[in-house]
Amino acid sequence: MFDAILVEKSGDTGAVSARLVQLNDSDLIANTEGDVTVAVAASTVNYKDGLAITGKSPVVRRYPMVPGIDFAGTVLESANPSWKPGDQVILNGWGVGEGHWGGYAAKARVKGEWLVPLPAAFTPAQAMAIGTAGYTAMLCVLALEAHGVTPDKGEVLVTGAAGGVGSVAVALLAKLGYAVIASTGRLAETDYLKQLGAATVIDRAELAAPGRPLAKERWAGAVDTVGSHTLANVCAGTRYRGAVAACGLAQGMDFPSTVAPFILRGVTLCGIDSVMAPLELRLAAWQRLARDLDPAKLAAMTRHIGLAEVIGAAHDIVDGKVRGRLVVDVGG
């Protein structure tokens, strides 16, 4: 038997509920398809995990579901030639925790092609302090670099900066030499953001309301985790031939913008998908994280919780009450 978080949906009311349960290997085999079984050491709490547990958005595609879109651990059994018992691995995305049982359990059974090796620079807990949020932040940085946004081009903006993606993005960009403007709705976190490397902290209210098609050119590039009017205003304030990496929807899925930033300033809007990213991009992102993320800053943004605390944390992250990263200590 092993501990797990199980999310269920009532057939009568459609209400979603989550609870801490004990499962066994037979439950795992009956409810998963895969060729690698992993002893999960750590997971993390992302915004999508919060949505899955609270039911505030229909991200779970079948029930019952063990949520947790990330995990790190050690291979126990493998029928996949790429992995053998004892290998340390990471999983991010691939619909795990949505349509396939995920990381909020002491054991997971997944397809071997979904796994990447744990970089030697990280422990499993550190990898989950990064998690999908940090891996997504690195994908955003790679996109900005690919579109010519270098530190000498000017400031870069990070929205939702006190959240998981935002915190890692601020730390990464500052380490790489960028002057970072951090936008947050929690100005009480100003000191925290400056410790991560932000040069300037602004109130999210500056960007959250409907704006003009074009605004004063302010930043050479941006990482946006918010969407909606915020993303529209981010694009409107981006400098000529700048780039914006969009990876979130905390404010909304809509994009009330015009073509003006794109056809008058040559701004590039880069969509960032971490769930189905190809293996070579995942490996590149994790290699860069091992090189470019300051371990001290990672530790400063991280708090550890137990599996029993995940349900409460899921509500907190959806309500915008979580700063930085939460690591779930699942097993040894």
Tab-separated table of all heavy atoms in Angstrom, residues 9 105 236:
chain	number	residue	atom	x	y	z
A	9	LYS	N	-15.209	12.573	-8.902
A	9	LYS	CA	-16.322	13.417	-9.319
A	9	LYS	C	-17.632	12.697	-9.068
A	9	LYS	O	-17.801	11.541	-9.473
A	9	LYS	CB	-16.189	13.760	-10.810
A	9	LYS	CG	-17.187	14.789	-11.308
A	9	LYS	CD	-16.868	15.179	-12.749
A	9	LYS	CE	-17.759	16.299	-13.238
A	9	LYS	NZ	-17.407	16.718	-14.622
A	105	ALA	N	1.469	10.617	-5.558
A	105	ALA	CA	1.424	9.250	-5.044
A	105	ALA	C	2.851	8.755	-4.897
A	105	ALA	O	3.759	9.240	-5.576
A	105	ALA	CB	0.647	8.332	-5.983
A	236	ALA	N	1.533	45.828	-26.252
A	236	ALA	CA	1.453	47.237	-26.651
A	236	ALA	C	2.644	48.047	-26.180
A	236	ALA	O	3.005	49.055	-26.792
A	236	ALA	CB	0.155	47.847	-26.116
